[in-house]
Amino acid sequence: MPSEAVTGEDPFNQEPVSILRQPKAVWATAGASVVAFMGIGLVDPILPSIAKGLDATPSQVSLLFTSYFLITAVAMLVTGFVSSRIGGRKTLLAGLALVVVFAALSGTSSSVGELVGFRAGWGLGNALFVSTALAVIVGAAAGGSSAAILLYESALGLGMACGPLLGALLGDASWRYPFFGTAALMAIGFVCITAFLKEQPRPARKTSLLDPVKALGHGGLASVAASAFFYNYAFFTILAFTPFVLDMTPYKSGAVFFAWGLLLAVFSVLVAPRLQQRFGSLKVLGASLVLLAADLVVLGYGSHTTAIVCTIVSGALIGMNNTVYTELALGVSDAPRPVASAGYNFVRWFAAAAAPYLAPKVEEWSNIHIPFVVAAGASVTGAIVVWVRRSALTHEAEELEPKHATEDGVTVFAG
């Protein structure tokens, strides 16, 4: 990995910082974050196995994503409210405790309905944890915010890459084991954070439940959220529907999505910032969305081998999009960054909830190709929103520094 990946310039103290020189509290939170992000793609390789084990249809099994992200979207209005009152440490621990309980219960499910319900509880816990983790890492990190943010981004990428791999390794024996494995790992994270993380200072102003919704009244933030809504539909069509199309063993499917996650991590942390500096955020975002649409069409109509390649390649485009969207959302309005991020995530995660359910339904109504055409259309729509609303976004995109948070802490959820 290039040296730039582990050192950088902090935008506040302008001194070189290292991602490796961090206190135990930061490593404990980052390690738990890896496991939390793993939970997003954990079920990917075992979706067909779950369907077979519980005698369920693809659309029923896809509800595992829908319930998870529907609760996540609503929880975006709650996490800031909770953490600003009880503090970051207690919010993290509450989220971890919920994940441990509901991940373990998921492994005991006797029907797809039970599993969908337990995944909803898991989504609430994950939202509480992940949405607070970045602010906690920035607050506890040594050496400035730049290294802390890079550490968080690395945890995100590593978790997204390793989730499918863990799901494949444990799921090859039984589809229940990945859920028990996640519960055990998160329990270890709970113990580590309890032992090493001290309570962080609470914000001077408490966040209300309606603050994120009010922030969406800003035209620029609303435009970013609307574009990200359509993009997320395309993103989660790939994540939730493609495993059924590839129809591979858990090991092979896990390998495909591991490669997908690696590209996501590399392009999010290393490639996107460089392209932004050279071409500008809006050009990078628009081009990446159009390329993602083309990739989806080829994925839907290509051979099995072509579908595998396009699935992996989509990780690179998704990684770039995630980075640019997050930066625009955090800087385009005058709302406090935690509030702006919560409003942005509240909108976009509804698409993540809709796509896993609608894609199999579209296939039932038409054929296996059309869900990818619909997803491609959604990606193009996201690019059109960016183009039409560029006047509301141009100033911020030009002024934007390649950073994801500042000293005030940020509420960010992966992807």
Side-chain angles (χ1 to χ4, degrees), residues 167-182:
L169 293 174
L170 297 179
D172 188 59
S174 170
W175 65 264
R176 299 180 187 274
Y177 290 169
F179 298 112
F180 294 136
T182 300

Side-chain angles (χ1 to χ4, degrees), residues 68-401:
Y68 184 92
F69 288 114
L70 185 62
I71 295 299
T72 295
V74 176
M76 286 299 110
L77 302 180
V78 178
T79 52
F81 177 88
V82 173
S83 63
S84 66
R85 285 163 173 77
I86 69 173
R89 181 176 182 272
K90 291 179 180 178
T91 304
L92 289 179
L93 292 175
L96 284 170
L98 286 172
V99 172
V100 170
V101 170
F102 284 103
L105 287 174
S106 295
T108 67
S109 301
S110 59
S111 69
V112 70
E114 285 185 5
L115 185 53
V116 168
F118 293 144
R119 278 283 287 182
W122 185 344
L124 174 60
N126 220 43
L128 286 171
F129 174 82
V130 177
S131 64
T132 312
L134 177 56
V136 170
I137 288 175
V138 170
S145 64
S146 179
I149 294 163
L150 185 56
L151 181 63
Y152 178 86
E153 291 285 352
S154 300
L156 188 158
L158 184 61
M160 293 291 283
C162 291
L165 193 61
L166 178 66
L169 293 174
L170 297 179
D172 188 59
S174 170
W175 65 264
R176 299 180 187 274
Y177 290 169
F179 298 112
F180 294 136
T182 300
L185 289 172
M186 289 304 257
I188 294 172
F190 185 96
V191 172
C192 291
I193 288 179
T194 300
F196 299 123
L197 180 64
K198 297 180 180 180
E199 185 57 81
Q200 303 297 295
R202 301 183 189 181
R205 177 182 175 275
K206 294 180 179 179
T207 302
S208 77
L209 291 174
L210 292 180
D211 280 351
V213 178
K214 293 177 180 177
L216 291 170
H218 185 279
L221 182 60
S223 300
V224 175
S227 178
F229 175 89
F230 292 106
Y231 156 66
N232 264 32
Y233 185 92
F235 176 0
F236 284 93
T237 296
I238 295 172
L239 194 62
F241 183 65
T242 302
F244 292 107
V245 176
L246 297 180
D247 193 24
M248 304 166 74
T249 64
Y251 275 125
K252 291 181 179 179
S253 182
V256 169
F257 279 96
F258 176 69
W260 170 87
L262 284 180
L263 282 184
L264 187 153
V266 169
F267 276 74
S268 176
V269 175
L270 300 178
V271 178
R274 288 168 170 77
L275 292 178
Q276 286 175 269
Q277 291 176 358
R278 182 170 182 179
F279 300 107
S281 294
L282 297 188
K283 289 182 180 179
V284 171
L285 182 59
S288 185
L289 287 169
V290 172
L291 288 174
L292 181 61
D295 183 81
L296 279 160
V297 172
V298 176
L299 194 164
Y301 283 93
S303 65
H304 188 266
T305 301
T306 300
I308 292 174
V309 172
C310 288
T311 298
I312 295 172
V313 169
S314 71
L317 302 171
I318 288 169
M320 287 194 295
N321 288 336
N322 287 350
T323 294
V324 180
Y325 272 121
T326 299
E327 291 178 351
L328 287 174
L330 296 181
V332 74
S333 74
D334 55 1
R337 283 183 168 91
V339 173
S341 178
Y344 158 74
N345 282 296
F346 172 69
V347 172
R348 71 180 183 126
W349 286 119
F350 277 110
Y357 176 75
L358 290 178
K361 288 294 185 183
V362 171
E363 181 197 11
E364 293 173 10
W365 299 332
S366 54
N367 58 59
I368 199 170
H369 309 297
I370 302 303
F372 294 102
V373 175
V374 173
S379 188
V380 170
T381 302
I384 291 173
V385 171
V386 171
W387 172 257
V388 171
R389 296 290 298 165
R390 63 190 183 281
S391 61
L393 302 173
T394 299
H395 174 73
E396 180 56 39
E398 290 176 347
E399 298 293 327
L400 200 58
E401 295 181 26

